[in-house]
Amino acid sequence: MARVLGPFLRLPFCRLPVFLLSGLLTAQAFVSESLDASDTRWRGASVVADGVHGGAAHFDGDTAHIDVGPCPIDGTLPFTLRCALRTTHAGFCTPLMARHGEAVALSLVLGRSPGVISFEAWSWGSVRIPSVSRIDDGQWHRIEVSYEPESRGALLFVDGALQGGALLGEGRSPQAMLRLGDNIGAHQPFPGDIDALELTPELTHAELFATLQPIVPVAERAAALTALRDRLLPPRTPSLAADAAAAWPERRLAVRRHVQDALGLLPPPPDVPFEVEVHGELAAEGVVLQRVSWIGFPGQRATGWLWLPKEHGEGRRPAILCPHGHWQNGAIHPVVQARCAAFARLGWLALAVDSVHVEDVASGVNSVGAMTWHNQRALGWLLARDDVDPTRVAVTGASGGGQQTYYLMALEDRLAAAAPIVMACYWREILSDTGAHCGCNHVPRAAATTDVPEMCAVFAPKPAFFGTVTGDWTHNFPTEGLPELTAHWLRLGGRAPGSRHGDEGHNYDRPMREAVYGFLHDALIGPPDAHAEVAEPPGAVFAAADLQPLLRQRPNARLDPRAMAREYLARRPRVASWRDLAPGLAFDIERKAIEWHDSTSPTWRCGVVRGADGVPIPLRLREQPETGVPFRVIVDPRGASIAAAAVTGEPDPDFQLALVDPRPYGEWQRYRSAWQRNGLLLGRGEGYQAAVDIALACASLPGEGPIQLVGRGEAGIPSLLAAGLCNRIVEVDTDELGRDFAADGNRLPLCPE
């Protein structure tokens, strides 16, 4: 047991102290000062009389906060945080934060789920401990967090009831400053009251920390997930091998159909009139810029920026579709403007389509699908213009715009050339087990049957160019992806794709742009190889301030996710079974041998069971002499260790008790945020993955007896699904199934489409 130290910080707001911390969690750092009213550290906060211990601090949810002062934290020492909160606010805000820059010491965050308080410390990006109880009822609620450094475990209590626990990993923030009522470095104001704040270098509830010890060590869990990703996402494409060439025409169509379906564009939305509107224009040296919009999805408009040569004359000319990535200010960022202006000064048209980010997981609405449809509609409008040569339309974009480019390469025969920049790579490069790339990269099921190089290969043998750099996820593409594509293009009678690999960071800088200008000149005007590169024409781009009047005339498109969900569901075909929505999972559930582990607990027998993907699923069985009785299996989103801590008293003679940690709960919680996105892309949605893991554990329990499955909280949904996979499950007991997925398509657990 860790040594219990004296208090070093107490803040009951009826007598708020001024304190100084001379070291990390030292017992001598407590200094008290009577404070019955606000002092200079109170920034807009006010005193209310009806606190837990007299007065309390009130925050207005706007600008009010209190900069308490230094609050250093070292993860090698114990602490206990206590406070009382009162609020009627259910949404996202930060009642308490201690941090220095990116080094978070500890925090309480409200509203990651409505009305739920979450403890988050230095591992907050992968480990959060949410409460089960809501605290937004306008009553005082006592919050307590205890941290034990030997296990690096933390436990969260609300009003004395254990809510959850987790292992935080290593961390410290020796220069952390404590703020009440808001975040530090981000504006997340808390509307409500805080009282009885206390941070002490002591350990409480020491007896409960033994239950937090994982069955599967962190290193083994990490290795299992790495091995799984390696199996699911190998850096090769069998269909692009020379011995598979005869089957390519059929495979090409299958890839196109799969991508179109994953994007939610099969069947496509209705082909309605474009109803193009020009909302204003500006002129500069050699260019005219128009703010434009057109019908994208039914009843909703897409927006963009059309760049025209100032002296365009008669006749048809090339046009370039220019989707942008996550540049600040999007399509009007100087880097995006630079290439669009250059195309116009070369005598071409350029259309920069504003990206849209919209997602409703339960219906299948996804950002790349929406952006792709806006781009396809924009392409249709360009092809219909009498100043555009329909045989000379190309697309190029960088980063997220490069992603949009290669999705168009998979779908569009109307394009003459394509140049995805700093985005083309095998998906394995942007998927990790502890962090997720931008959410818009994760198209439902897309990676279940294809990968980026194969999507690009659909475009062959038309001219293509790939821009990559050493300083981002495209660094391996010149050796993993491009050689396969080069051989593929040559087999189909095309020219080898052009490329530039820069020893630089993620960008679409002038050298890369000039290489693309040369490529597009050769592809659209010719003759081939006439230009290794084309110099960027001189001329300035527009200042952001100059474009604000046009933005006010027509703000960037924003799509309504509810309207999108209704449109998708009305258009998209139904599936025969939810299993069709998780093609990355194996649903043939068979009994597997339980691998028993040594356990120091006299109460629980611990082990794991491994399914088809080899990942260990932890389970605990309560030791009892009777073996011929049915099982009660509990799945608790907080984790089996927390459920075990709550089990007291003598065993129930009518049931054997088992606790299971399916992904993403319990021991797998630290990987949840990454695998939510990975699983979406891989066709292994987290709700479906949990169902498979639960069914596997149930099928593998000793004997053949029936099982009563208890799914607590959000685990109710995967428990219901698991019952359809394992015939030993004869009853499902769940306390709450949550809101309808139709009402909240992004509710947890994520069950895509």
Side-chain angles (χ1 to χ4, degrees):
M1 183 183 301
R3 182 167 59 96
V4 178
L5 304 177
F8 75 100
L9 169 61
R10 294 185 186 276
L11 292 176
F13 274 99
C14 55
R15 296 181 59 83
L16 182 68
V18 177
F19 66 95
L20 299 172
L21 298 182
S22 58
L24 300 181
L25 304 183
T26 61
Q28 306 303 317
F30 175 64
V31 178
S32 180
E33 176 181 315
S34 177
L35 189 61
D36 297 322
S38 62
D39 63 22
T40 57
R41 298 168 302 166
W42 291 48
R43 311 296 176 87
S46 59
V47 178
V48 294
D50 59 336
V52 174
H53 299 300
H58 174 72
F59 303 89
D60 62 8
D62 185 12
T63 61
H65 63 276
I66 301 175
D67 286 318
V68 178
C71 184
I73 292 292
D74 188 328
T76 65
L77 296 169
F79 66 78
T80 294
L81 168 69
R82 298 184 184 93
C83 70
L85 300 179
R86 179 173 64 182
T87 185
T88 58
H89 183 72
F92 184 80
C93 59
T94 302
L96 178 153
M97 170 62 69
R99 70 187 296 178
H100 175 74
E102 294 303 309
V104 172
L106 50 81
S107 65
L108 294 175
V109 178
L110 178 67
R112 291 200 184 275
S113 296
V116 166
I117 195 72
S118 174
F119 172 71
E120 303 173 11
W122 47 88
S123 303
W124 71 273
S126 57
V127 180
R128 300 165 182 164
I129 307 178
S131 66
V132 176
S133 305
R134 294 182 64 150
I135 66 164
D136 57 334
D137 57 1
Q139 303 298 313
W140 282 110
H141 293 279
R142 293 181 179 272
I143 313 299
E144 179 179 350
V145 177
S146 185
Y147 171 73
E148 195 272 320
E150 293 180 14
S151 66
R152 299 187 185 127
L155 298 171
L156 171 66
F157 300 82
V158 173
D159 298 326
L162 178 62
Q163 303 292 302
L167 302 181
L168 303 183
E170 296 182 5
R172 63 197 302 266
S173 186
Q175 296 176 285
M177 305 295 286
L178 177 61
R179 175 175 290 177
L180 309 180
D182 203 350
N183 202 334
I184 298 173
H187 188 49
Q188 298 165 356
F190 167 64
D193 305 325
I194 300 179
D195 195 9
L197 180 65
E198 178 179 86
L199 184 60
T200 61
E202 63 180 337
L203 178 66
T204 56
H205 307 285
E207 73 284 358
L208 296 179
F209 281 93
T211 66
L212 288 182
Q213 292 301 322
I215 296 174
V216 184
V218 171
E220 184 179 340
R221 276 174 278 157
L225 293 182
T226 297
L228 176 60
R229 280 193 298 110
D230 287 344
R231 289 197 299 274
L232 297 176
L233 297 168
R236 61 185 182 277
T237 307
S239 68
L240 299 184
D243 58 6
W248 174 250
E250 182 178 355
R251 176 61 184 167
R252 178 181 183 272
L253 294 178
V255 172
R256 171 168 289 182
R257 183 176 180 85
H258 170 70
V259 171
Q260 190 177 12
D261 181 54
L263 291 171
L265 300 177
L266 186 68
D271 186 12
V272 298
F274 297 113
E275 296 184 17
V276 178
E277 295 183 17
V278 178
H279 302 281
E281 69 177 34
L282 291 174
E285 181 182 355
V287 300
V288 173
L289 175 60
Q290 294 182 344
R291 181 60 168 158
V292 294
S293 69
W294 59 96
I295 296 292
F297 289 89
Q300 303 193 74
R301 298 187 72 80
T303 58
W305 304 84
L306 180 64
W307 296 75
L308 303 163
K310 201 168 190 178
E311 304 296 333
H312 51 80
E314 300 294 330
R316 296 179 179 267
R317 61 196 68 249
I320 314 297
L321 196 62
C322 292
H324 65 82
H326 296 118
W327 310 100
Q328 186 179 16
N329 296 324
I332 62 175
H333 187 279
V335 168
V336 182
Q337 285 196 58
R339 76 171 183 271
C340 295
F343 290 136
R345 289 178 177 125
L346 289 170
W348 306 352
L349 278 72
L351 177 58
V353 182
D354 293 316
S355 294
V356 289
H357 290 84
V358 59
E359 185 175 59
D360 184 89
V361 171
S363 67
V365 171
N366 63 92
S367 295
V368 178
M371 287 187 271
T372 298
W373 183 245
H374 280 188
N375 288 330
Q376 290 187 288
R377 292 284 289 169
L379 176 60
W381 172 45
L382 289 175
L383 293 170
R385 289 177 63 99
D386 58 12
D387 56 353
V388 171
D389 183 344
T391 67
R392 294 190 292 170
V393 178
V395 60
T396 183
S399 190
Q403 174 182 242
Q404 295 176 59
T405 297
Y406 62 62
Y407 274 98
L408 288 172
M409 292 173 72
L411 299 187
E412 277 293 347
D413 290 327
R414 298 178 293 176
L415 290 166
I421 307 301
V422 291
M423 197 65 215
C425 63
Y426 275 100
W427 267 316
R428 62 186 282 125
E429 299 286 355
I430 63 171
L431 301 183
S432 79
D433 297 319
T434 55
H437 211 270
C438 173
C440 68
N441 291 102
H442 299 78
V443 174
R445 300 176 284 106
T449 58
T450 191
D451 211 318
V452 174
E454 190 176 45
M455 290 166 54
C456 294
V458 173
F459 198 67
K462 292 183 176 182
F465 180 98
F466 297 94
T468 57
V469 295
T470 58
D472 68 12
W473 46 87
T474 64
H475 60 120
N476 285 330
F477 189 73
T479 57
E480 293 181 358
L482 185 58
E484 293 175 289
L485 293 177
T486 298
H488 175 72
W489 248 261
L490 294 175
R491 277 196 300 271
L492 294 181
R495 298 182 63 83
S499 65
R500 178 181 182 272
H501 188 59
D503 186 12
E504 55 206 40
H506 189 68
N507 70 84
Y508 200 167
D509 62 2
R510 182 166 179 166
M512 187 74 80
R513 295 196 299 268
E514 291 183 340
V516 171
Y517 301 152
F519 158 72
L520 289 174
H521 185 281
D522 295 348
L524 303 180
I525 297 176
D529 296 333
H531 300 81
E533 62 181 41
V534 169
E536 190 165 270
V541 299
F542 293 99
D546 294 336
L547 299 176
Q548 292 307 306
L550 296 185
L551 271 174
R552 286 193 291 272
Q553 287 290 323
R554 182 70 212 195
N556 287 352
R558 298 186 66 178
L559 300 181
D560 178 354
R562 294 291 180 86
M564 293 286 290
R566 289 192 295 270
E567 193 276 335
Y568 265 49
L569 294 174
R571 170 170 49 85
R572 300 274 284 153
R574 299 294 190 265
V575 296
S577 165
W578 67 269
R579 301 184 190 198
D580 298 333
L581 306 176
L585 293 173
F587 290 99
D588 295 328
I589 305 298
E590 299 178 356
R591 177 194 292 273
K592 299 292 183 179
I594 298 176
E595 304 168 21
W596 297 109
H597 289 207
D598 293 336
S599 175
T600 59
S601 171
T603 305
W604 298 97
R605 190 180 185 194
C606 300
V608 301
V609 60
R610 300 174 192 268
D613 63 11
V615 176
I617 305 306
L619 54 85
R620 290 170 166 82
L621 271 63
R622 192 176 192 192
E623 295 283 11
Q624 60 187 66
E626 297 294 333
T627 59
V629 296
F631 272 99
R632 174 180 288 137
V633 176
I634 297 176
V635 183
D636 192 321
R638 302 174 300 169
S641 62
I642 299 300
V647 175
T648 59
E650 295 298 318
D652 185 338
D654 295 327
F655 288 97
Q656 297 182 80
L657 183 61
L659 310 175
V660 180
D661 267 345
R663 287 165 282 182
Y665 304 133
E667 295 189 24
W668 296 107
Q669 176 67 37
R670 66 185 294 124
Y671 305 102
R672 182 172 191 176
S673 61
W675 272 88
Q676 274 183 339
R677 311 311 300 179
N678 294 355
L680 192 64
L681 182 66
L682 289 162
R684 302 167 69 95
E686 67 172 4
Y688 309 140
Q689 178 71 78
V692 169
D693 289 352
I694 294 168
L696 171 67
C698 289
S700 302
L701 289 173
E704 302 292 337
I707 293 171
Q708 178 199 60
L709 180 58
V710 180
R712 292 177 175 164
E714 68 169 74
I717 291 291
S719 295
L720 287 174
L721 298 177
L725 301 177
C726 174
N727 58 16
R728 289 185 64 182
I729 301 172
V730 298
E731 180 182 344
V732 175
D733 181 1
T734 181
D735 54 353
E736 189 218 335
L737 295 177
R739 302 178 66 199
D740 290 345
F741 284 92
D744 182 2
N746 297 322
R747 58 151 289 191
L748 301 180
L750 295 183
C751 291
E753 303 182 275

